[in-house]
Amino acid sequence: MTLAADPRAVFTHVQPAARRPPANRASKTVSSGTLLISTITLLALLALWFVATQLGWATPLFLPSPAEVLTQFQAVALDGYADGTLLQHTLASLGRILVALGIGVVLGVPIGLLMGLNRWVRGTLSVPIGLYWGLPPLAYLPLLIIWLGIGESSKIVLLSLSTFAPICFSAQAGVRSVPVERINAALSLGATRLQLFTNIILPSALPEILTGLRIAVAAGLSCLVAAELIAARSGLGYMIMSAANFLSTDVVFVGLILIAVLAFLFAIGMRWLERKLVPWKGKI
Amino acid sequence: MLQIRDASVTFPASDGSAVHALDHVSLDIAPDSIVVAVGASGCGKSTLLNAIAGFLPLTEGSITLDGEEIDRPGGDRGVVFQKDTLLPWASVVDNVALGLKFAGISRTVRRERARELLDLVGLVDFADKPPYELSGGMRQRVGLARALATDPKILLMDEPFGALDSLTRETMQQLLASVWARTGKQVLFITHSIEEALTLGTTVVVMSPRPGRIVARFKAGFVREFAETGDIGPILSNPHFIELREEIRALIHRPAGKGTLQ
C-alpha cells in the first residue's frame, strides 16, 4: 500500500504543524519496516553460510561452519587465545578506541570551535591538520613506532590523530554554518559575546560536531584494527593476526564477528546520542 | 524618539562600482507611531532597518535613539525577522525569555514574564512545545513576543508576515495592531504590500530604488480603527484608503525622473 492510496495518510500531511508532526509517525513505520527487511537479510546470510558449509562448497580452512565458529567462540572466551581471553582482547581494543575518542573530543571540539571563530587560528591550523588528515594513517604508523615504540602510546597517538581531525573540522564547520540571522537576533536581544557563544553558536554547532564524532568512530575503528594487525600484544586485531598465522580460520571469524558487533553497537550509540542531544536536527 | 539624519549606505558592487542602497534618508519615528516603509525590492527599506538594528554600519549620516547614537545591535531595539530565528533546542517559552536570560534575570521570573507575553499573542498553551511543532504564523507570533520581552524602545519588523499565507497574514496584522494599541511601542515596519502599509502605518513612507531614498510620506490613521474593530473589510473599502493606495501604487511604479521599474 502506498501512502497516497490511504486517504488518512494524505490527511495527516495537511494537518496543522501544531499537532504532533506527522512525519514522525510516517518515519517510524518506515524504519520498523526497514528493520524487518534487514533482519530477514541477516537471517538469509546466516542460512546461506550454514548451507554453504553443510554442502561442502568450501573447505573448512576457507569457510568454517557456524557451529565450529560457535565452538571456537566458547573456547576463546573461556580459555583464551594469543595470551588473552576474548573479553581481555575486546576490552583492550575498546579501551584504545574510547581513549582515542576522548582525546579527539577534548582537543578537537575546542580547537575546531576556535578555528571557526578566529581566522588566525583557522589559517594557522588548517594546513597542518589538513595535510596529515589526507595521509592514510597506516602510512605514518611506522614513523610513530620509531618515535614512540611498539607499546600503547604509538597506537593511542595514531588513533587520536585519526579521530581528532574529523571532530575538529566538523566543529569548525558547525560554527561557520550558524545562520547569520540567528546571530543578529541574539545580538538584538542584548547578548554579549560570551552569551552569544554559549547560547547560540555552541548549540548550533552541536549537530555538526556529532556528525564529526560519527566519522571519527568509523575512522578510529578501521585504524584500530589495522594498527593491532601490525603492532600489538593484545586486542581483537592482534588475535585475528595470530589466528591467521596458524590458519585458524574459525578464530579469525570469531574476531571479525566481534568487531562487526562492536561497530554496530557504536552506530546505535551514536544514534542514541543524536536523539538525546539534538532532537531538533533537520527540523528547522 | 528615533531620529535618522542623512543616512547613506554604500556597497561596492561586483563590477567595482558603488551601489547606493540608502541615499541621504532622513526620518523620525515618534513614540506611539507605526512607520511603515513600503517599496519595490532593492529600494533600501531592509537596509534602513538593518542600519537601525545596528547590523550594518552607515557610510554617512547618523541614527540616534533618544539622543544616543546607534552603532551596534542592542536590546533597546527589538527585531522581528522575516525568517523565523527561533532556537530549535529551546521550548517556546524559553525562546521568548531569551533576551531576559541575556539580561541576567532568574529563570522563574523570566519564564513568568515570557508566559504573559505568550498570553498576549495567544500562544500560552504552546509554551512548552519546541518551536518546530508550531506553524509559520505561530512562530512569527513567538518572534514578536520574544522581541517584546525585553521591553525595547522600538520594534523593527522586517517583512515579518511576508512568508505567510493571506489568511494567517490578516490575523497577524490584527494581532500587531492590537499589541501596538495596548503597548504603545514605536514601530518601524517594512513591507512590499501597499495595503499592509496603509492598514498598519500611522505614517507610510514610500521608497524607490537606485539610489534607495524616500520619495513620499503619507499620514494614515486606519490602524487605530483596525485595532479597535479588528475588521479589515470596512478599511479596505474606505474611499480615502483606496485613494491613498492608488497614489502610492502610482509612485512605486513610476518613480520620479529615475526611469521605470519594469
Side-chain angles (χ1 to χ4, degrees):
Chain A
M1 184 184 69
T2 66
L3 238 113
D6 180 359
R8 265 186 50 237
V10 174
F11 182 67
T12 55
H13 277 277
V14 293
Q15 278 202 340
R19 298 275 186 96
R20 248 239 51 94
N24 259 13
R25 252 188 56 205
S27 72
K28 203 171 270 177
T29 49
V30 167
S31 70
S32 67
T34 317
L35 187 68
L36 185 68
I37 298 171
S38 304
T39 314
I40 292 171
T41 311
L42 188 66
L43 291 176
L45 281 172
L46 282 174
L48 186 67
W49 180 18
F50 185 77
V51 170
T53 49
Q54 206 65 11
L55 298 180
W57 291 351
T59 63
L61 178 62
F62 292 126
L63 189 66
S65 73
E68 273 174 72
V69 172
L70 204 65
T71 317
Q72 272 306 334
F73 186 89
Q74 277 175 329
V76 177
L78 295 175
D79 308 334
Y81 192 90
D83 312 325
T85 64
L86 199 53
L87 186 67
Q88 283 169 332
H89 286 305
T90 310
L91 287 180
S93 293
L94 204 59
R96 283 175 193 139
I97 189 142
L98 287 179
V99 167
L101 280 173
I103 293 173
V105 169
V106 166
L107 293 179
V109 171
I111 291 177
L113 291 173
L114 272 176
M115 284 170 74
L117 292 171
N118 184 295
R119 72 190 173 92
W120 283 99
V121 181
R122 180 164 61 250
T124 313
L125 293 183
S126 62
V127 171
I129 298 174
L131 276 178
Y132 96 73
W133 174 234
L135 290 171
L138 293 183
Y140 55 80
L141 177 61
L143 182 65
L144 289 177
I145 292 175
I146 293 173
W147 284 350
L148 302 166
I150 203 157
E152 282 305 300
S153 45
S154 59
K155 281 181 285 293
I156 294 291
V157 169
L158 178 84
L159 289 177
S160 302
L161 284 170
S162 72
T163 57
F164 168 80
I167 293 173
C168 177
F169 281 139
S170 65
Q172 179 197 340
V175 173
R176 310 286 288 166
S177 70
V178 185
V180 65
E181 292 94 348
R182 195 177 277 176
I183 289 175
N184 278 343
L187 287 174
S188 69
L189 288 168
T192 62
R193 288 178 72 89
L194 182 66
Q195 285 170 335
L196 189 69
F197 177 75
T198 55
N199 287 277
I200 308 294
I201 293 176
L202 195 57
S204 294
L206 200 53
E208 293 257 15
I209 293 175
L210 286 179
T211 306
L213 190 59
R214 198 190 274 257
I215 299 171
V217 167
L221 267 177
S222 61
C223 268
L224 167 75
V225 176
E228 286 176 348
L229 288 174
I230 293 175
R233 299 238 165 276
S234 62
L236 289 172
Y238 170 66
M239 189 186 87
I240 290 174
M241 205 55 194
S242 312
N245 285 339
F246 294 104
L247 292 179
S248 312
T249 321
D250 37 14
V251 178
V252 172
F253 266 72
V254 170
L256 286 178
I257 290 170
L258 255 178
I259 291 167
V261 169
L262 220 55
F264 183 68
L265 289 179
F266 266 112
I268 289 181
M270 282 307 302
R271 234 178 294 165
W272 176 83
L273 208 59
E274 283 199 341
R275 261 204 311 275
K276 206 80 192 157
L277 292 178
V278 291
W280 71 85
K281 192 180 176 185
K283 298 266 175 59
I284 274 191
Chain B
M1 177 81 146
L2 185 92
Q3 291 182 306
I4 304 162
R5 288 289 170 273
D6 276 323
S8 297
V9 174
T10 312
F11 297 116
S14 51
D15 63 357
S17 66
V19 177
H20 297 279
L22 211 58
D23 188 35
H24 295 93
V25 167
S26 293
L27 181 69
D28 284 354
I29 301 179
D32 205 25
S33 67
I34 301 185
V35 174
V36 182
V38 63
S41 307
C43 72
K45 53 192 195 296
S46 287
T47 307
L48 179 66
L49 184 136
N50 284 333
I52 300 172
F55 303 150
L56 197 73
L58 290 180
T59 316
E60 260 181 80
S62 73
I63 302 175
T64 56
L65 181 58
D66 290 347
E68 268 179 69
E69 179 95 21
I70 283 168
D71 59 353
R72 68 188 65 182
D76 51 351
R77 285 147 287 147
V79 185
V80 182
F81 297 81
Q82 174 171 18
K83 242 175 84 183
D84 96 71
T85 53
L86 302 177
L87 307 178
W89 54 83
S91 65
V92 163
V93 67
D94 283 334
N95 264 289
V96 174
L98 188 62
L100 300 170
K101 184 182 185 185
F102 292 153
I105 290 162
S106 78
R107 181 185 281 241
T108 1
V109 175
R110 66 178 189 248
R111 282 198 171 157
E112 200 174 311
R113 171 91 183 114
R115 274 179 191 280
E116 286 167 26
L117 283 155
L118 282 172
D119 196 29
L120 183 76
V121 298
L123 284 180
V124 78
D125 292 341
F126 295 86
D128 300 317
K129 298 246 181 240
Y132 50 81
E133 287 189 13
L134 269 56
S135 68
M138 289 171 160
R139 284 189 223 172
Q140 283 306 69
R141 281 194 262 167
V142 177
L144 177 62
R146 182 180 68 175
L148 286 169
T150 48
D151 196 22
K153 291 173 182 166
I154 184 170
L155 265 185
L156 305 172
M157 308 183 74
D158 189 3
E159 298 193 37
F161 313 146
L164 304 177
D165 66 85
S166 56
L167 292 176
T168 311
R169 192 174 177 142
E170 215 176 288
T171 321
M172 294 297 293
Q173 290 168 350
Q174 264 171 33
L175 176 74
L176 176 63
S178 73
V179 165
W180 170 76
R182 265 187 276 177
T183 60
K185 289 261 175 259
Q186 45 190 321
V187 179
L188 173 71
F189 192 101
I190 305 292
T191 182
H192 52 252
S193 156
I194 300 168
E195 289 190 348
E196 185 168 70
L198 279 170
T199 312
L200 293 175
T202 55
T203 302
V204 175
V205 297
V206 182
M207 297 185 68
S208 82
R210 284 174 290 271
R213 53 168 60 143
I214 294 175
V215 290
R217 296 158 203 252
F218 296 90
K219 287 268 169 228
F222 305 105
V223 65
R224 292 177 211 283
E225 182 190 335
F226 186 39
E228 254 171 54
T229 64
D231 189 1
I232 202 168
I235 297 171
L236 291 180
S237 54
N238 182 322
H240 183 47
F241 183 96
I242 295 171
E243 192 184 308
L244 282 172
R245 187 185 71 199
E246 292 313 310
E247 201 174 330
I248 293 173
R249 172 162 295 143
L251 271 168
I252 287 178
H253 288 274
R254 271 179 277 106
K258 289 286 174 191
T260 58
L261 282 174
Q262 281 81 7

